[in-house]
Amino acid sequence: MHHYHSPFTVVLIIPTGIGAAIGGYAGDGLPVARAIAQVADCLVTHPNVLNGAQLYWPMDNVLYVEGYGLDQFASGAWDLVPVRRNRIGLVLDRAIEPELKLRHLQAADAARATLGLTMTDYVVTDEELGVLLKTASSGATWGTIQHPDSLLRAVDKSIHQAGAEAIAVVARFPDDEDADVLENYRHGHGVDSLAGAEAVISHLIVQTFQVPCAHAPALAPIPPDPNLSPRSAAEELGYTFLPCVLAGLSQAPHFQPSTVSATPHRIMATDVNAVVLPATACGSSAVLSFV
């Protein structure tokens, strides 16, 4: 007699901007994801785990799900629908300087030519987004953008005029962040001061449009540091953090309201067998939904 075994599905959550010892830096959660993916049939995780600037690792059984979408999935409001390929729309902040903008467009061209990704025409926001970085009393980072309406207009254009199915956003982030905070991060301790604001940007887009999204900050190059930690080194390889975002979004699953009639192969919150996360980071809405 043959017994049917349902796929073993694991969710891996490493919250952004809290200084996680593993996964709090530049893609250093990726080895954990790779290890879990070898024993799970399906791993659901988020860009903070899988993004390593110009480094990434393609895995057929791993689903790249933005944090707000992951929250909705965990709550049972949205299901995940795996896809073979997405048309990716690139949205650029008007504040990005011409040379830095060119670097990002060339990164997108490289992804199209070398990885065979499908991309639409890029869209530039009609106003500078005005990213502001903040740090909470707990030490966790967060942030805001001064012109979210401009961001949403650009995304709407990318989806409804250019035909994008997933959105990669590049916002110009401040270069004058706290020198001590930056040095600590580059040396492998402390908190990623950009991560909280990045999450705000992608959450807004996914909440509004229900499409896969991830963000890459645009920053001016900084001088090399001989004491650079390997955990932070992936972000020092070039001029842009965009390649991993494009690779992740290329097959990011679509979101479907759980009230919609069943779609073959979709993944529901009730399919999840295990949730893996840092021992001291159990308070997120996604984790509480799974409990």
Side-chain angles (χ1 to χ4, degrees), residues 75-114:
S75 72
W78 293 355
D79 299 334
L80 304 178
V81 182
V83 299
R84 292 186 180 275
R85 183 178 68 176
N86 285 318
R87 290 189 302 276
I88 304 169
L90 177 61
V91 173
L92 300 176
D93 184 354
R94 180 166 291 278
I96 301 173
E97 300 88 339
E99 182 175 331
L100 194 54
K101 175 184 174 183
L102 180 60
R103 294 286 188 186
H104 284 83
L105 292 177
Q106 289 174 342
D109 284 343
R112 182 187 292 112
T114 304

Side-chain angles (χ1 to χ4, degrees), residues 65-66 69-70 78-81 206 210-213 253-257:
V65 181
E66 190 277 338
L70 188 57
W78 293 355
D79 299 334
L80 304 178
V81 182
V206 175
Q210 295 86 52
V211 297
C213 176
H254 291 185
F255 303 117
Q256 183 179 79

Side-chain angles (χ1 to χ4, degrees), residues 124-261:
V124 178
T125 61
D126 53 25
E127 294 181 272
E128 296 185 0
L129 295 181
V131 175
L132 300 174
L133 304 180
K134 306 287 185 180
T135 302
S137 57
S138 65
T141 61
W142 60 287
T144 62
I145 56 173
Q146 294 175 296
H147 297 111
D149 51 336
S150 179
L151 175 63
L152 295 179
R153 285 193 295 271
V155 173
D156 184 83
K157 183 177 181 180
S158 183
I159 294 171
H160 295 114
Q161 294 185 28
E165 298 166 305
I167 298 294
V169 181
V170 181
R172 185 64 166 96
F173 270 51
D175 293 320
D176 56 349
E177 62 178 303
D178 187 294
D180 291 336
V181 172
L182 176 60
E183 182 177 346
N184 286 339
Y185 176 75
R186 295 179 84 192
H187 291 176
H189 47 89
V191 178
D192 181 354
S193 62
L194 311 182
E198 290 192 86
V200 168
I201 291 169
S202 62
H203 287 8
L204 175 63
I205 292 169
V206 175
Q207 181 179 10
T208 305
F209 296 100
Q210 295 86 52
V211 297
C213 176
H215 176 269
L219 295 162
I222 53 179
D225 183 343
N227 299 313
L228 185 70
S229 168
R231 294 194 291 179
S232 303
E235 293 179 349
E236 311 259 346
L237 298 181
Y239 298 95
T240 168
F241 303 165
L242 188 56
C244 64
V245 167
L246 298 178
L249 289 174
S250 66
Q251 291 186 304
H254 291 185
F255 303 117
Q256 183 179 79
S258 56
T259 53
V260 174
S261 57

Side-chain angles (χ1 to χ4, degrees), residues 21-35:
I22 299 174
Y25 296 87
D28 60 308
L30 187 49
V32 176
R34 289 182 60 194

